[in-house]
Amino acid sequence: MTRGLISRRRTAVGAALALAALVGGCKAAAVETDGKASPPAGKEPKRSASPTPGHTAKPTPPAPPKVLMAQGARGEKVRGLQARLRQLAWFFQDPTGTYGSSTAKAVSGFQGKRGLPRTGSVDTVTWQRLLSMTHEPSRFERYSGGGIPPAKPDKRCLTGRVLCISKSTRTLTWMVDGTARLTTDVRFGSQYTPTRDGEFPVYWKSRHHVSTLFHTPMPYAMFFSGGQAVHYSSDFAARGYNGASHGCVNVRDEKKIARLFSEVQKGDKVVIYK
């Protein structure tokens, strides 16, 4: 077979293939010298995107601090928050353990003073700042308005009729044969006029007593050791634990001390323990 005949056959086969491609709707792709198909005319191959020179991606903003306490919260953690704010003179009430509007206002003021967002809620940043500026509140700071849960009764309180008085919780519990009938907040003497610890009998009751030594009223007085007595104190009712007695056991709830006075009898025990 001559070269001319072979060339004419190749040309005929190529024309037939081209015609078939047009009829089938396909577009023929040119073949590069390395054997790879080149893209159709008018189309460029896709290329990976590259950043614009001089342009940097925006950093992801940090997540907002976690909120630990907000209005509506209740419990001991809130009570501790209020006690710490009180140490810094931002909260002027007695801690209650309830996060209300007054607590939110105090938190907002504290935040604004320190350049923090005034949200009124305690987040992790606010809490750490507050911790760094205050000390761990004592039990009395947490319960400056009273209401400390009573301590476990001293064993001497478990028999008979006893005014069971705990210095560690500042509570008086009236107990009869081991059953608690009434509990109330109490206040004691200062370090210079301390209330005596121990077990004593009630030896005298005086409904409208007035101190002959200090010339102050001592209503519902129940004397148990010398001049020391359990009695109502209007000063305790007004000032709370910002004051102290001269050695007596002060009660600020007049209704409760009136009930105690009516039930306690001469000879009943008074047990005062730490």
Side-chain angles (χ1 to χ4, degrees):
M1 185 179 294
T2 63
R3 291 185 180 178
L5 179 58
I6 294 172
S7 176
R8 286 197 297 274
R9 286 184 177 180
R10 287 181 178 175
T11 302
V13 172
L17 291 174
L19 178 61
L22 290 174
V23 173
C26 297
K27 292 184 180 179
V31 179
E32 301 290 348
T33 56
D34 60 0
K36 294 182 180 179
S38 62
K43 290 190 177 181
E44 295 292 331
K46 292 183 178 180
R47 298 181 181 178
S48 58
S50 58
T52 305
H55 175 76
T56 56
K58 292 183 179 179
T60 303
K66 180 181 178 181
V67 175
L68 303 176
M69 287 174 276
Q71 284 201 61
R74 296 174 180 271
E76 285 302 305
K77 195 164 187 178
V78 175
R79 190 181 290 276
L81 164 68
Q82 293 168 331
R84 288 179 185 275
L85 289 169
R86 200 168 189 225
Q87 291 173 17
L88 301 175
W90 279 107
F91 190 75
F92 300 98
Q93 304 173 23
D94 292 317
T96 61
T98 299
Y99 202 127
S101 58
S102 57
T103 304
K105 183 178 180 180
V107 170
S108 178
F110 173 83
Q111 290 171 325
K113 184 73 172 179
R114 273 80 201 171
L116 303 174
R118 299 174 65 112
T119 63
S121 299
V122 179
D123 54 39
T124 51
V125 175
T126 301
W127 184 240
Q128 288 303 317
R129 182 67 64 87
L130 185 60
L131 290 180
S132 70
M133 299 178 65
T134 56
H135 62 262
E136 179 66 29
S138 68
R139 189 186 330 188
F140 295 149
E141 286 179 306
R142 290 171 176 268
Y143 288 88
S144 59
I148 299 177
K152 183 178 180 180
D154 185 274
K155 62 182 180 180
R156 294 169 292 178
C157 300
L158 300 179
T159 57
R161 298 163 57 86
V162 190
L163 288 169
C164 191
I165 301 171
S166 166
K167 285 185 173 179
S168 66
T169 61
R170 294 176 175 175
T171 56
L172 178 157
T173 301
W174 169 230
M175 302 188 70
V176 177
D177 297 329
T179 300
R181 293 193 173 184
L182 178 152
T183 297
T184 187
D185 301 326
V186 291
R187 187 177 71 173
F188 303 100
S190 68
Q191 65 180 103
Y192 303 107
T193 55
T195 303
R196 302 181 188 100
D197 296 342
E199 181 178 334
F200 315 91
V202 174
Y203 71 88
W204 183 34
K205 293 172 63 180
S206 178
R207 166 67 181 81
H208 300 288
H209 194 79
V210 176
S211 171
T212 56
L213 185 61
F214 301 105
H215 308 290
T216 54
M218 297 171 57
Y220 304 103
M222 293 171 278
F223 288 88
F224 59 85
S225 178
Q228 295 191 356
V230 176
H231 67 85
Y232 172 72
S233 169
S234 58
D235 180 76
F236 184 23
R239 300 174 58 208
Y241 292 102
N242 293 317
S245 74
H246 291 98
C248 290
V249 178
N250 291 164
V251 177
R252 59 177 164 188
D253 190 319
E254 191 167 7
K255 289 183 178 179
K256 288 185 176 181
I257 189 66
R259 176 182 164 186
L260 281 173
F261 190 84
S262 68
E263 294 187 18
V264 173
Q265 302 170 7
K266 286 178 61 176
D268 288 347
K269 287 190 296 184
V270 175
V271 175
I272 302 176
Y273 64 101
K274 294 181 180 178

